[in-house]
Amino acid sequence: MIHSFLMIGQSNMAGRGYVQDVPIICNERIKMLRNGLWQIMIEPIHCDRPFTGIGPGASFASAWCNKNETEEIGLIPCAEGSSSLDDWTVGGVLFENAVFQSELAQRTSKLDGILWHQGENDCNPEGVNHYYEKFLVIVETLRRRLNVPDIPVIVGGLGDYLNTGKYGRYFRDYSLINKVLLEFANTQDNCYFITASDLKANPDNIHFNAKSQRIFGLRYFEAYDKRINILEPMKEEISKINELNNKPLSKAEKTALIGNEFGKGNMSLEEYEEQLSKVNDKE
Amino acid sequence: MIHSFLMIGQSNMAGRGYVQDVPIICNERIKMLRNGLWQIMIEPIHCDRPFTGIGPGASFASAWCNKNETEEIGLIPCAEGSSSLDDWTVGGVLFENAVFQSELAQRTSKLDGILWHQGENDCNPEGVNHYYEKFLVIVETLRRRLNVPDIPVIVGGLGDYLNTGKYGRYFRDYSLINKVLLEFANTQDNCYFITASDLKANPDNIHFNAKSQRIFGLRYFEAYDKRINILEPMKEEISKINELNNKPLSKAEKTALIGNEFGKGNMSLEEYEEQLSKVNDKE
C-alpha cells in the first residue's frame, strides 16, 4: 500500500525552482498522482502552470524513502499558484479538487500527511488577522471529509527574502504570517511548523529556487518524521541533499528516464532501443 | 461564459506530438482547466505524462475561435495514456475524475462537447466485440451525470499507420475498431466520427506527430461545427493550419509567453522586464 501525501497551498508548494538547476531525483518508490492513477515521479510534480518546476515534494519523498526502505510514497499535487487563503475556502474549486484527488488516491493508498505552503497572497493586515481562523476551518474540514482526524499537517514558513527586491512592497507583512503559522502549529494537534530561514529565491525574489526547495523538502520530512517544529536550518542539510543526488539509478528508474526523453522527441527510435537494451543487459 | 469541451481517451487525445515540431498556438480566448480554474492555454494541455506534447485540442480550439469571434473556449484535459476502454469504466478513477473535472468546469462554463480518442489498447477480437456496448454505457452515463443529454460526442479514428512498424503486431485489428467507432456515430444521436486517414506518426509508429495532430484538431472541429462525419481528409487542411500559425499575437498573449519563459528560468529579470515594457509600449 502506497503512503500518500497531499500537497496544497500556492506557488511555492507547486514549485517554481528551475528544473535545470538541480540534479534529477528519480526513485521508483516515489509516485505522483495523475488522473487518479499513480506513476513514477518525474518532476515537475505539479501542473498548475506551464512553467511549474521544482517544489519541496521530491526531496521530501526521497528522505521518506531513506527512512522507509521498502515501502512506496505517493504525492498528490493540488497546489495552485497565486492562490489566497480565501481561494481555498471550503466548497471552492481548489478545496473540492484537493478533497476529490485525495479520495481517488485513498482508493489505492493510505493518506499519511498534508503539506501546506501558502501566505504570500495574504501578506496584509486583513490577511494576517483572519489567517488562523480561516486556516483552521480548512484543516478541520479536510481531516473530517477525508476521514483522517489525526493526520499530521506540516506548514512551511514564508521566505525571509520576501520583503526585499523588486516586489518587496507586496510582502511587508510576511513575518506576521510566519508568526500565525507557528502559533497555529503550537496550538493545534498534529500540526508542525518549519522555517524557511536561509532559503534563497529565484531572481523574482518571490519563489524559492530549486536548491532551496530541495532543502525545504528535507525540513518538511524532518518535521513530519519527528513530529516537531523546525525553527532553525538543520545541520548537514547540504550533505544530505548531496547524498540524495548520489543514489544510483535502478533499472526501472533508468527505463523511465529514457522513455521520457524518447517521448519528448529528444532521442531517435534506434537510440532509444539501444539505450533500453543497455539497461537490460547490465542487470 | 466560456464554452468548454471535455477531452477523454488515451494517449493520442492527451497528445504525444513533439512540441518543438510545430509553431506555438496562443490565443487569449483559449483556456485550459487546472485545479478547477481557467488559465490561458499554453501547450501541452494534458499532464498525464512528463512527456505529454501536442494533441488535437489546440487547433480544435483555434478553429472554434475563428468561427466564434468574440467568445471564449475552455479545454478540460482528462485523457490518460495507455488506457483501455475497461480503464474508463463508470465508477473507475479515470471516469470519475473526468466527471468531476467537468463539474468543476461547469461552475464557470457551458459544457458544449466531448472529444474522444481511444482504441489502440483494445485492438484485439475481444476488445472489438465489446467496444460498442461498453462505450455506449460511458457516453450515456457521462451525458446523464453532467446533465447534457444531447451534447455532441466526436470520436476520432485510429491511425492507418498502426499495423506497420516496430509495434505493428499489437494493432492488427485497428481497422475493426474504426469500423465500430463509425457504426457508433451512425447509430447514436449527436455522435460523429472523424477519420485519421493520411495522418502521420512519430518514429514509434503509435502516436500522431505534432503536424498531424494540428490537422486532426481541425477535423474534430469540422465534425462538431457541421454535425457531420468526416470520412476523408478535408480540402485545404494544410493552408488552414498555416492560417492559424500566422495569427498575430495580442498583448495578453505576448505577456503570457514571456511570463512562461521567465518562469522557466530561460530569461533574466532584466530581460523579462525589458520585453514586458516593449509589449506595453507598443499598444
Side-chain angles (χ1 to χ4, degrees):
Chain A
M1 178 67 87
I2 293 172
H3 296 261
S4 60
F5 292 82
L6 173 61
M7 302 168 70
I8 43 177
Q10 61 178 111
S11 54
N12 277 317
M13 178 54 69
R16 297 292 185 264
Y18 306 145
V19 288
Q20 59 272 29
D21 280 0
V22 285
I24 283 172
I25 289 181
C26 186
N27 184 325
E28 61 183 294
R29 292 192 289 122
I30 306 177
K31 315 290 183 188
M32 58 184 184
L33 196 75
R34 290 287 188 274
N35 291 324
L37 299 169
W38 300 109
Q39 61 181 259
I40 190 166
M41 179 205 76
I42 292 182
E43 290 178 282
I45 299 165
H46 277 78
C47 317
D48 68 311
R49 291 292 181 279
F51 48 85
T52 305
I54 304 292
S59 59
F60 171 85
S62 286
W64 186 95
C65 284
N66 281 350
K67 179 78 187 275
N68 301 276
E69 291 185 359
T70 57
E71 295 181 279
E72 293 186 322
I73 181 171
L75 301 169
I76 307 164
C78 292
E80 169 69 18
S82 296
S83 55
S84 69
L85 201 50
D86 283 342
D87 291 330
W88 282 94
T89 299
V90 173
V93 292
L94 295 182
F95 183 89
E96 295 303 320
N97 184 56
V99 168
F100 183 79
Q101 296 303 322
S102 301
E103 286 170 344
L104 290 184
Q106 283 178 317
R107 294 187 185 199
T108 48
S109 72
K110 181 173 170 293
L111 190 63
D112 268 359
I114 296 174
L115 311 184
W116 174 263
H117 193 278
Q118 194 279 338
E120 291 91 342
N121 215 331
D122 291 272
C123 282
N124 55 68
E126 174 80 6
V128 171
N129 284 339
H130 297 284
Y131 202 99
Y132 191 110
E133 68 193 62
K134 286 180 186 173
F135 187 47
L136 183 58
V137 175
I138 292 169
V139 169
E140 286 182 335
T141 312
L142 272 177
R143 284 174 165 165
R144 193 179 63 248
R145 295 264 301 269
L146 295 171
N147 202 18
V148 284
D150 304 318
I151 196 168
V153 177
I154 319 296
V155 301
L158 306 185
D160 280 331
Y161 52 75
L162 274 174
N163 62 349
T164 61
K166 193 92 190 169
Y167 308 106
R169 63 189 181 281
Y170 298 115
F171 304 110
R172 277 189 202 121
D173 293 329
Y174 87 92
S175 63
L176 298 177
I177 295 281
N178 282 347
K179 222 172 134 185
V180 177
L181 288 169
L182 177 58
E183 187 199 344
F184 192 92
N186 281 334
T187 51
Q188 293 295 323
D189 287 345
N190 301 309
C191 284
Y192 306 95
F193 173 85
I194 63 164
T195 181
S197 194
D198 283 5
L199 301 186
K200 304 287 185 288
N202 283 344
D204 61 10
N205 239 39
I206 297 174
H207 298 114
F208 296 118
N209 69 27
K211 285 179 189 173
S212 289
Q213 286 281 20
R214 291 284 191 246
I215 293 170
F216 213 25
L218 294 189
R219 294 183 192 172
Y220 269 99
F221 177 71
E222 192 72 7
Y224 171 76
D225 186 47
K226 305 283 198 321
R227 304 292 202 266
I228 53 172
N229 295 329
I230 305 291
L231 301 175
E232 285 175 22
M234 303 187 302
K235 282 175 194 162
E236 300 172 2
E237 288 176 332
I238 306 292
S239 65
K240 279 183 185 167
I241 292 295
N242 289 336
E243 270 172 47
L244 297 182
N245 294 339
N246 290 330
K247 187 183 85 62
L249 293 172
S250 73
K251 189 168 152 179
E253 290 153 13
K254 284 179 190 164
T255 303
L257 293 173
I258 295 169
N260 190 36
E261 290 307 308
F262 179 58
K264 284 180 169 171
N266 297 337
M267 199 183 274
S268 72
L269 181 61
E270 293 68 34
E271 212 180 330
Y272 172 59
E273 292 185 330
E274 195 187 311
Q275 293 216 17
L276 272 192
S277 70
K278 268 189 202 168
V279 168
N280 288 318
D281 285 352
K282 276 191 186 156
E283 301 300 308
Chain B
M1 178 66 85
I2 292 173
H3 297 261
S4 58
F5 291 83
L6 173 61
M7 302 168 71
I8 43 178
Q10 61 177 111
S11 54
N12 277 316
M13 177 54 69
R16 297 291 185 264
Y18 305 145
V19 287
Q20 59 272 28
D21 280 1
V22 285
I24 284 171
I25 289 182
C26 186
N27 184 324
E28 62 184 292
R29 293 192 289 120
I30 306 177
K31 315 290 182 188
M32 59 184 183
L33 197 74
R34 289 287 188 272
N35 291 324
L37 299 168
W38 299 109
Q39 61 182 258
I40 189 166
M41 179 206 75
I42 291 182
E43 290 177 282
I45 298 165
H46 277 77
C47 317
D48 68 313
R49 290 293 181 279
F51 48 85
T52 306
I54 304 294
S59 59
F60 171 86
S62 285
W64 186 95
C65 283
N66 280 351
K67 179 78 185 277
N68 301 277
E69 290 183 0
T70 57
E71 296 181 279
E72 292 185 323
I73 181 170
L75 300 169
I76 307 165
C78 292
E80 169 69 18
S82 296
S83 55
S84 68
L85 200 52
D86 283 341
D87 291 330
W88 282 94
T89 299
V90 173
V93 293
L94 295 182
F95 183 89
E96 294 304 320
N97 184 58
V99 168
F100 183 79
Q101 296 303 321
S102 300
E103 285 170 345
L104 290 184
Q106 283 178 316
R107 294 187 185 199
T108 48
S109 72
K110 181 174 172 293
L111 190 63
D112 268 0
I114 297 174
L115 311 184
W116 174 263
H117 193 279
Q118 195 278 339
E120 290 90 342
N121 215 332
D122 292 272
C123 282
N124 54 67
E126 174 79 8
V128 170
N129 284 340
H130 297 283
Y131 202 98
Y132 191 110
E133 67 192 62
K134 287 180 186 172
F135 188 47
L136 183 58
V137 175
I138 292 170
V139 169
E140 286 182 337
T141 313
L142 272 176
R143 283 174 165 165
R144 193 179 64 246
R145 294 263 301 269
L146 295 170
N147 202 19
V148 284
D150 303 319
I151 196 167
V153 177
I154 319 297
V155 300
L158 306 187
D160 280 331
Y161 51 76
L162 273 175
N163 61 350
T164 62
K166 192 93 191 169
Y167 308 106
R169 64 189 180 280
Y170 299 115
F171 305 109
R172 278 190 200 119
D173 293 329
Y174 87 92
S175 64
L176 298 177
I177 294 281
N178 282 347
K179 221 171 136 185
V180 176
L181 289 170
L182 177 58
E183 187 199 346
F184 192 92
N186 281 334
T187 51
Q188 293 295 323
D189 286 344
N190 301 308
C191 284
Y192 306 95
F193 172 84
I194 63 165
T195 181
S197 194
D198 284 4
L199 300 186
K200 303 286 186 288
N202 284 343
D204 62 10
N205 238 42
I206 297 173
H207 299 114
F208 296 118
N209 68 28
K211 285 180 188 170
S212 288
Q213 285 281 20
R214 291 284 192 247
I215 292 170
F216 213 25
L218 293 188
R219 294 183 191 172
Y220 269 99
F221 177 71
E222 192 73 6
Y224 171 76
D225 185 46
K226 305 282 197 324
R227 304 290 201 267
I228 53 171
N229 295 327
I230 305 291
L231 301 174
E232 284 175 24
M234 304 188 300
K235 282 175 194 163
E236 299 173 3
E237 289 177 332
I238 304 292
S239 66
K240 277 184 187 167
I241 291 295
N242 289 336
E243 270 173 48
L244 297 182
N245 294 339
N246 291 330
K247 188 185 83 65
L249 293 172
S250 73
K251 188 169 152 179
E253 290 152 12
K254 285 178 190 165
T255 303
L257 293 173
I258 295 167
N260 189 35
E261 290 306 308
F262 179 57
K264 284 181 170 170
N266 297 337
M267 199 184 273
S268 71
L269 181 61
E270 293 67 34
E271 213 179 330
Y272 173 59
E273 293 184 329
E274 195 187 310
Q275 293 216 19
L276 272 191
S277 71
K278 267 188 201 168
V279 169
N280 288 317
D281 284 352
K282 277 192 184 155
E283 302 299 308

